[in-house]
Short mmCIF file of all heavy atoms in Angstrom, two decimals:
data_model
loop_
_atom_site.label_atom_id
_atom_site.label_comp_id
_atom_site.label_asym_id
_atom_site.label_seq_id
_atom_site.Cartn_x
_atom_site.Cartn_y
_atom_site.Cartn_z
N LYS A 187 -175.41 51.92 190.89
CA LYS A 187 -176.74 51.55 190.41
C LYS A 187 -176.74 51.37 188.90
O LYS A 187 -177.30 50.40 188.37
CB LYS A 187 -177.73 52.64 190.82
CG LYS A 187 -179.16 52.38 190.38
CD LYS A 187 -180.04 53.54 190.82
CE LYS A 187 -181.45 53.40 190.27
NZ LYS A 187 -182.30 54.54 190.66
N GLU A 188 -176.09 52.29 188.20
CA GLU A 188 -176.02 52.21 186.74
C GLU A 188 -175.27 50.96 186.30
O GLU A 188 -175.65 50.29 185.34
CB GLU A 188 -175.31 53.47 186.20
CG GLU A 188 -175.21 53.53 184.68
CD GLU A 188 -176.56 53.62 183.99
OE1 GLU A 188 -177.53 54.13 184.60
OE2 GLU A 188 -176.64 53.17 182.84
N SER A 189 -174.21 50.63 187.03
CA SER A 189 -173.42 49.45 186.71
C SER A 189 -174.24 48.17 186.86
O SER A 189 -174.20 47.28 186.01
CB SER A 189 -172.19 49.40 187.63
OG SER A 189 -171.47 48.20 187.43
N ARG A 190 -175.02 48.09 187.96
CA ARG A 190 -175.86 46.91 188.18
C ARG A 190 -176.98 46.82 187.14
O ARG A 190 -177.32 45.73 186.66
CB ARG A 190 -176.46 46.95 189.60
CG ARG A 190 -175.42 46.60 190.67
CD ARG A 190 -176.07 46.48 192.04
NE ARG A 190 -176.50 47.78 192.53
CZ ARG A 190 -177.62 48.00 193.19
NH1 ARG A 190 -178.47 47.02 193.43
NH2 ARG A 190 -177.93 49.21 193.62
N LEU A 191 -177.53 47.97 186.77
CA LEU A 191 -178.58 48.00 185.76
C LEU A 191 -178.06 47.45 184.44
O LEU A 191 -178.70 46.59 183.80
CB LEU A 191 -179.08 49.44 185.58
CG LEU A 191 -180.13 49.67 184.48
CD1 LEU A 191 -181.42 48.96 184.81
CD2 LEU A 191 -180.37 51.15 184.28
N GLN A 192 -176.89 47.92 184.02
CA GLN A 192 -176.31 47.47 182.76
C GLN A 192 -175.97 45.98 182.79
O GLN A 192 -176.09 45.28 181.80
CB GLN A 192 -175.05 48.30 182.43
CG GLN A 192 -175.32 49.75 182.11
CD GLN A 192 -176.31 49.91 180.95
OE1 GLN A 192 -176.27 49.19 179.97
NE2 GLN A 192 -177.21 50.88 181.09
N ARG A 193 -175.55 45.51 183.96
CA ARG A 193 -175.22 44.08 184.09
C ARG A 193 -176.47 43.22 183.92
O ARG A 193 -176.45 42.21 183.21
CB ARG A 193 -174.57 43.81 185.45
CG ARG A 193 -174.06 42.37 185.59
CD ARG A 193 -173.24 42.15 186.84
NE ARG A 193 -174.04 42.28 188.06
CZ ARG A 193 -173.95 43.27 188.91
NH1 ARG A 193 -173.08 44.26 188.71
NH2 ARG A 193 -174.70 43.31 190.00
N HIS A 194 -177.58 43.63 184.55
CA HIS A 194 -178.84 42.87 184.41
C HIS A 194 -179.33 42.90 182.97
O HIS A 194 -179.81 41.87 182.45
CB HIS A 194 -179.92 43.47 185.32
CG HIS A 194 -179.71 43.19 186.78
ND1 HIS A 194 -179.32 41.96 187.26
CD2 HIS A 194 -179.83 43.99 187.88
CE1 HIS A 194 -179.22 42.01 188.57
NE2 HIS A 194 -179.51 43.24 188.97
N LEU A 195 -179.20 44.05 182.32
CA LEU A 195 -179.63 44.15 180.92
C LEU A 195 -178.77 43.24 180.03
O LEU A 195 -179.29 42.56 179.13
CB LEU A 195 -179.54 45.59 180.44
CG LEU A 195 -180.61 46.56 180.96
CD1 LEU A 195 -180.33 47.97 180.47
CD2 LEU A 195 -181.99 46.11 180.54
N SER A 196 -177.48 43.25 180.26
CA SER A 196 -176.57 42.43 179.46
C SER A 196 -176.89 40.94 179.62
O SER A 196 -176.96 40.19 178.63
CB SER A 196 -175.13 42.71 179.88
OG SER A 196 -174.24 41.89 179.16
N GLU A 197 -177.11 40.51 180.87
CA GLU A 197 -177.43 39.10 181.11
C GLU A 197 -178.79 38.75 180.53
O GLU A 197 -178.99 37.66 179.96
CB GLU A 197 -177.40 38.81 182.61
CG GLU A 197 -176.00 38.86 183.20
CD GLU A 197 -175.99 38.65 184.71
OE1 GLU A 197 -177.05 38.28 185.26
OE2 GLU A 197 -174.93 38.84 185.33
N GLY A 198 -179.75 39.68 180.67
CA GLY A 198 -181.07 39.46 180.11
C GLY A 198 -181.02 39.33 178.60
O GLY A 198 -181.68 38.44 178.02
N ASN A 199 -180.23 40.17 177.95
CA ASN A 199 -180.10 40.11 176.49
C ASN A 199 -179.49 38.78 176.05
O ASN A 199 -179.87 38.22 175.01
CB ASN A 199 -179.24 41.26 175.99
CG ASN A 199 -179.94 42.60 176.13
OD1 ASN A 199 -181.17 42.65 176.27
ND2 ASN A 199 -179.18 43.69 176.11
N ALA A 200 -178.51 38.29 176.84
CA ALA A 200 -177.87 37.00 176.50
C ALA A 200 -178.89 35.87 176.58
O ALA A 200 -178.95 35.00 175.70
CB ALA A 200 -176.70 36.75 177.45
N PHE A 201 -179.72 35.89 177.64
CA PHE A 201 -180.76 34.86 177.78
C PHE A 201 -181.77 34.97 176.64
O PHE A 201 -182.24 33.96 176.09
CB PHE A 201 -181.48 34.99 179.13
CG PHE A 201 -180.69 34.47 180.30
CD1 PHE A 201 -180.48 35.26 181.43
CD2 PHE A 201 -180.18 33.18 180.29
CE1 PHE A 201 -179.77 34.78 182.51
CE2 PHE A 201 -179.46 32.68 181.38
CZ PHE A 201 -179.25 33.48 182.49
N TYR A 202 -182.11 36.20 176.29
CA TYR A 202 -183.09 36.42 175.22
C TYR A 202 -182.57 35.87 173.89
O TYR A 202 -183.32 35.22 173.14
CB TYR A 202 -183.39 37.92 175.10
CG TYR A 202 -184.56 38.24 174.19
CD1 TYR A 202 -185.83 38.41 174.73
CD2 TYR A 202 -184.39 38.38 172.82
CE1 TYR A 202 -186.91 38.71 173.91
CE2 TYR A 202 -185.46 38.67 172.00
CZ TYR A 202 -186.72 38.83 172.54
OH TYR A 202 -187.79 39.11 171.72
N GLN A 203 -181.30 36.11 173.61
CA GLN A 203 -180.70 35.61 172.37
C GLN A 203 -180.72 34.08 172.32
O GLN A 203 -180.85 33.48 171.26
CB GLN A 203 -179.26 36.12 172.24
CG GLN A 203 -179.13 37.61 171.98
CD GLN A 203 -179.73 38.00 170.63
OE1 GLN A 203 -179.60 37.28 169.64
NE2 GLN A 203 -180.40 39.15 170.60
N ASP A 204 -180.58 33.46 173.51
CA ASP A 204 -180.60 31.98 173.59
C ASP A 204 -182.02 31.43 173.67
O ASP A 204 -182.22 30.23 173.87
CB ASP A 204 -179.81 31.52 174.82
CG ASP A 204 -178.32 31.76 174.68
OD1 ASP A 204 -177.84 31.90 173.54
OD2 ASP A 204 -177.62 31.80 175.72
N LYS A 205 -183.00 32.33 173.57
CA LYS A 205 -184.42 31.99 173.65
C LYS A 205 -184.82 31.44 175.01
O LYS A 205 -185.81 30.71 175.14
CB LYS A 205 -184.79 31.00 172.54
CG LYS A 205 -184.57 31.58 171.14
CD LYS A 205 -185.04 30.65 170.05
CE LYS A 205 -184.82 31.29 168.68
NZ LYS A 205 -185.26 30.42 167.57
N ASP A 206 -184.01 31.79 176.03
CA ASP A 206 -184.34 31.42 177.40
C ASP A 206 -185.13 32.60 177.98
O ASP A 206 -184.62 33.40 178.79
CB ASP A 206 -183.05 31.17 178.19
CG ASP A 206 -183.31 30.66 179.61
OD1 ASP A 206 -184.49 30.67 180.02
OD2 ASP A 206 -182.35 30.29 180.30
N TYR A 207 -186.38 32.72 177.57
CA TYR A 207 -187.16 33.91 177.86
C TYR A 207 -187.52 34.05 179.35
O TYR A 207 -187.70 35.16 179.84
CB TYR A 207 -188.43 33.92 177.02
CG TYR A 207 -188.13 33.90 175.54
CD1 TYR A 207 -188.61 32.88 174.71
CD2 TYR A 207 -187.33 34.89 174.96
CE1 TYR A 207 -188.32 32.86 173.36
CE2 TYR A 207 -187.04 34.88 173.60
CZ TYR A 207 -187.52 33.86 172.81
OH TYR A 207 -187.22 33.84 171.47
N LEU A 208 -187.60 32.93 180.05
CA LEU A 208 -187.94 32.99 181.47
C LEU A 208 -186.82 33.68 182.27
O LEU A 208 -187.09 34.57 183.09
CB LEU A 208 -188.17 31.58 182.01
CG LEU A 208 -188.89 31.50 183.36
CD1 LEU A 208 -190.25 32.19 183.31
CD2 LEU A 208 -189.04 30.05 183.81
N ASN A 209 -185.59 33.26 182.04
CA ASN A 209 -184.46 33.89 182.74
C ASN A 209 -184.23 35.33 182.25
O ASN A 209 -183.81 36.20 183.02
CB ASN A 209 -183.18 33.07 182.55
CG ASN A 209 -183.09 31.94 183.57
OD1 ASN A 209 -183.41 32.12 184.74
ND2 ASN A 209 -182.67 30.76 183.13
N ALA A 210 -184.50 35.55 180.96
CA ALA A 210 -184.39 36.91 180.42
C ALA A 210 -185.37 37.83 181.14
O ALA A 210 -185.03 38.95 181.56
CB ALA A 210 -184.67 36.91 178.92
N LEU A 211 -186.61 37.32 181.33
CA LEU A 211 -187.63 38.10 182.03
C LEU A 211 -187.20 38.42 183.46
O LEU A 211 -187.38 39.54 183.95
CB LEU A 211 -188.95 37.31 182.05
CG LEU A 211 -190.14 38.01 182.71
CD1 LEU A 211 -190.56 39.22 181.90
CD2 LEU A 211 -191.31 37.03 182.88
N LYS A 212 -186.58 37.43 184.12
CA LYS A 212 -186.11 37.63 185.49
C LYS A 212 -185.07 38.77 185.56
O LYS A 212 -185.14 39.64 186.43
CB LYS A 212 -185.50 36.33 186.01
CG LYS A 212 -184.99 36.43 187.44
CD LYS A 212 -184.31 35.13 187.85
CE LYS A 212 -183.68 35.28 189.24
NZ LYS A 212 -182.92 34.07 189.63
N MET A 213 -184.12 38.76 184.61
CA MET A 213 -183.08 39.79 184.59
C MET A 213 -183.67 41.17 184.32
O MET A 213 -183.31 42.16 184.96
CB MET A 213 -182.04 39.47 183.52
CG MET A 213 -181.14 38.28 183.81
SD MET A 213 -180.08 38.55 185.25
CE MET A 213 -180.89 37.50 186.46
N TYR A 214 -184.62 41.23 183.36
CA TYR A 214 -185.23 42.52 183.03
C TYR A 214 -186.07 43.07 184.19
O TYR A 214 -186.12 44.29 184.42
CB TYR A 214 -186.10 42.38 181.77
CG TYR A 214 -185.32 42.07 180.51
CD1 TYR A 214 -185.87 41.27 179.51
CD2 TYR A 214 -184.03 42.56 180.33
CE1 TYR A 214 -185.16 40.98 178.35
CE2 TYR A 214 -183.31 42.26 179.18
CZ TYR A 214 -183.87 41.47 178.20
OH TYR A 214 -183.16 41.18 177.05
N MET A 215 -186.71 42.16 184.94
CA MET A 215 -187.51 42.60 186.08
C MET A 215 -186.60 43.16 187.19
O MET A 215 -186.94 44.14 187.86
CB MET A 215 -188.34 41.43 186.62
CG MET A 215 -189.53 41.08 185.71
SD MET A 215 -190.54 39.72 186.32
CE MET A 215 -191.33 40.50 187.73
N GLU A 216 -185.44 42.53 187.38
CA GLU A 216 -184.48 43.05 188.36
C GLU A 216 -183.94 44.42 187.91
O GLU A 216 -183.70 45.30 188.74
CB GLU A 216 -183.34 42.05 188.54
CG GLU A 216 -183.76 40.80 189.31
CD GLU A 216 -182.62 39.82 189.52
OE1 GLU A 216 -181.46 40.17 189.21
OE2 GLU A 216 -182.88 38.69 189.97
N ALA A 217 -183.78 44.56 186.60
CA ALA A 217 -183.33 45.86 186.07
C ALA A 217 -184.40 46.92 186.30
O ALA A 217 -184.09 48.06 186.65
CB ALA A 217 -183.02 45.73 184.58
N LYS A 218 -185.67 46.52 186.15
CA LYS A 218 -186.78 47.47 186.34
C LYS A 218 -186.86 47.94 187.79
O LYS A 218 -187.21 49.10 188.07
CB LYS A 218 -188.10 46.81 185.93
CG LYS A 218 -189.30 47.76 186.00
CD LYS A 218 -190.56 47.11 185.48
CE LYS A 218 -191.77 48.01 185.66
NZ LYS A 218 -191.67 49.24 184.86
N GLU A 219 -186.52 47.07 188.73
CA GLU A 219 -186.51 47.46 190.14
C GLU A 219 -185.49 48.57 190.40
O GLU A 219 -185.70 49.44 191.25
CB GLU A 219 -186.17 46.25 191.02
CG GLU A 219 -187.32 45.26 191.15
CD GLU A 219 -186.95 44.07 192.02
OE1 GLU A 219 -185.92 44.16 192.74
OE2 GLU A 219 -187.68 43.07 192.00
N LEU A 220 -184.40 48.55 189.63
CA LEU A 220 -183.37 49.57 189.79
C LEU A 220 -183.79 50.89 189.17
O LEU A 220 -183.45 51.96 189.67
CB LEU A 220 -182.04 49.09 189.15
CG LEU A 220 -181.34 47.94 189.88
CD1 LEU A 220 -180.22 47.38 189.00
CD2 LEU A 220 -180.76 48.42 191.20
N ASP A 221 -184.52 50.81 188.05
CA ASP A 221 -184.97 52.04 187.38
C ASP A 221 -186.32 51.79 186.71
O ASP A 221 -186.39 51.44 185.53
CB ASP A 221 -183.93 52.49 186.34
CG ASP A 221 -184.25 53.88 185.80
OD1 ASP A 221 -185.32 54.43 186.13
OD2 ASP A 221 -183.43 54.41 185.03
N PRO A 222 -187.40 51.97 187.46
CA PRO A 222 -188.75 51.68 186.93
C PRO A 222 -189.14 52.53 185.72
O PRO A 222 -190.02 52.14 184.94
CB PRO A 222 -189.68 52.00 188.12
CG PRO A 222 -188.79 51.93 189.32
CD PRO A 222 -187.45 52.40 188.85
N GLN A 223 -188.51 53.70 185.54
CA GLN A 223 -188.88 54.60 184.46
C GLN A 223 -188.05 54.40 183.18
O GLN A 223 -188.27 55.10 182.21
CB GLN A 223 -188.73 56.06 184.93
CG GLN A 223 -189.49 56.40 186.21
CD GLN A 223 -190.96 56.08 186.10
OE1 GLN A 223 -191.58 56.35 185.08
NE2 GLN A 223 -191.53 55.52 187.16
N ASP A 224 -187.11 53.48 183.22
CA ASP A 224 -186.23 53.28 182.05
C ASP A 224 -187.04 52.67 180.90
O ASP A 224 -187.52 51.53 180.99
CB ASP A 224 -185.06 52.36 182.43
CG ASP A 224 -183.99 52.32 181.35
OD1 ASP A 224 -184.33 51.99 180.19
OD2 ASP A 224 -182.82 52.62 181.66
N SER A 225 -187.21 53.42 179.81
CA SER A 225 -188.03 52.96 178.68
C SER A 225 -187.43 51.73 178.00
O SER A 225 -188.16 50.85 177.53
CB SER A 225 -188.20 54.09 177.67
OG SER A 225 -186.94 54.53 177.19
N GLN A 226 -186.10 51.66 177.96
CA GLN A 226 -185.44 50.51 177.33
C GLN A 226 -185.80 49.22 178.09
O GLN A 226 -186.13 48.20 177.47
CB GLN A 226 -183.93 50.70 177.33
CG GLN A 226 -183.17 49.53 176.69
CD GLN A 226 -181.66 49.61 176.91
OE1 GLN A 226 -181.19 50.45 177.68
NE2 GLN A 226 -180.91 48.76 176.24
N VAL A 227 -185.76 49.28 179.41
CA VAL A 227 -186.08 48.12 180.24
C VAL A 227 -187.54 47.71 180.02
O VAL A 227 -187.86 46.52 179.85
CB VAL A 227 -185.83 48.41 181.74
CG1 VAL A 227 -186.30 47.24 182.60
CG2 VAL A 227 -184.35 48.68 181.98
N ASN A 228 -188.42 48.70 180.01
CA ASN A 228 -189.85 48.40 179.82
C ASN A 228 -190.12 47.78 178.46
O ASN A 228 -190.94 46.85 178.34
CB ASN A 228 -190.68 49.68 179.99
CG ASN A 228 -190.69 50.16 181.45
OD1 ASN A 228 -190.67 49.35 182.37
ND2 ASN A 228 -190.71 51.47 181.66
N ASN A 229 -189.45 48.26 177.43
CA ASN A 229 -189.63 47.69 176.09
C ASN A 229 -189.15 46.24 176.04
O ASN A 229 -189.78 45.37 175.41
CB ASN A 229 -188.86 48.51 175.07
CG ASN A 229 -189.49 49.87 174.84
OD1 ASN A 229 -190.66 50.09 175.14
ND2 ASN A 229 -188.71 50.82 174.34
N LEU A 230 -188.00 45.97 176.70
CA LEU A 230 -187.47 44.61 176.72
C LEU A 230 -188.40 43.67 177.48
O LEU A 230 -188.58 42.50 177.11
CB LEU A 230 -186.07 44.60 177.35
CG LEU A 230 -184.96 45.22 176.48
CD1 LEU A 230 -183.70 45.43 177.31
CD2 LEU A 230 -184.65 44.34 175.28
N LEU A 231 -188.98 44.18 178.57
CA LEU A 231 -189.94 43.38 179.34
C LEU A 231 -191.15 43.02 178.48
O LEU A 231 -191.61 41.87 178.48
CB LEU A 231 -190.39 44.17 180.58
CG LEU A 231 -189.57 43.99 181.85
CD1 LEU A 231 -190.01 45.00 182.90
CD2 LEU A 231 -189.70 42.57 182.40
N ASP A 232 -191.69 43.99 177.77
CA ASP A 232 -192.86 43.77 176.91
C ASP A 232 -192.54 42.73 175.85
O ASP A 232 -193.36 41.80 175.58
CB ASP A 232 -193.30 45.07 176.24
CG ASP A 232 -193.91 46.03 177.23
OD1 ASP A 232 -194.29 45.59 178.34
OD2 ASP A 232 -193.99 47.25 176.91
N ALA A 233 -191.37 42.84 175.22
CA ALA A 233 -190.97 41.91 174.16
C ALA A 233 -190.83 40.50 174.71
O ALA A 233 -191.25 39.52 174.07
CB ALA A 233 -189.67 42.38 173.53
N THR A 234 -190.25 40.38 175.90
CA THR A 234 -190.04 39.06 176.49
C THR A 234 -191.37 38.42 176.91
O THR A 234 -191.60 37.23 176.71
CB THR A 234 -189.10 39.16 177.73
OG1 THR A 234 -187.93 39.87 177.35
CG2 THR A 234 -188.70 37.79 178.23
N LEU A 235 -192.24 39.23 177.49
CA LEU A 235 -193.56 38.72 177.86
C LEU A 235 -194.33 38.23 176.63
O LEU A 235 -195.03 37.21 176.69
CB LEU A 235 -194.35 39.82 178.58
CG LEU A 235 -193.96 40.07 180.04
CD1 LEU A 235 -194.60 41.35 180.54
CD2 LEU A 235 -194.38 38.89 180.92
N SER A 236 -194.20 38.96 175.54
CA SER A 236 -194.87 38.57 174.28
C SER A 236 -194.39 37.19 173.83
O SER A 236 -195.18 36.34 173.39
CB SER A 236 -194.59 39.60 173.18
OG SER A 236 -195.15 40.84 173.55
N LYS A 237 -193.07 36.96 173.96
CA LYS A 237 -192.50 35.68 173.57
C LYS A 237 -193.03 34.55 174.46
O LYS A 237 -193.32 33.44 174.00
CB LYS A 237 -190.98 35.73 173.66
CG LYS A 237 -190.31 36.61 172.63
CD LYS A 237 -190.40 35.97 171.24
CE LYS A 237 -189.63 36.81 170.22
NZ LYS A 237 -189.74 36.22 168.85
#
Side-chain angles (χ1 to χ4, degrees):
K187 180 181 174 182
E188 182 64 27
S189 175
R190 285 187 290 141
L191 176 66
Q192 292 304 320
R193 186 171 66 251
H194 288 317
L195 286 176
S196 177
E197 290 177 10
N199 290 341
F201 283 127
Y202 190 94
Q203 290 296 322
D204 290 339
K205 298 184 179 180
D206 185 351
Y207 301 122
L208 196 58
N209 275 319
L211 182 67
K212 180 184 174 184
M213 289 296 106
Y214 294 147
M215 287 180 70
E216 288 181 9
K218 184 175 175 65
E219 286 180 14
L220 291 168
D221 189 354
Q223 306 304 318
D224 191 304
S225 58
Q226 180 190 9
V227 175
N228 290 326
N229 290 340
L230 288 168
L231 270 171
D232 290 343
T234 309
L235 283 168
S236 297
K237 291 289 184 182

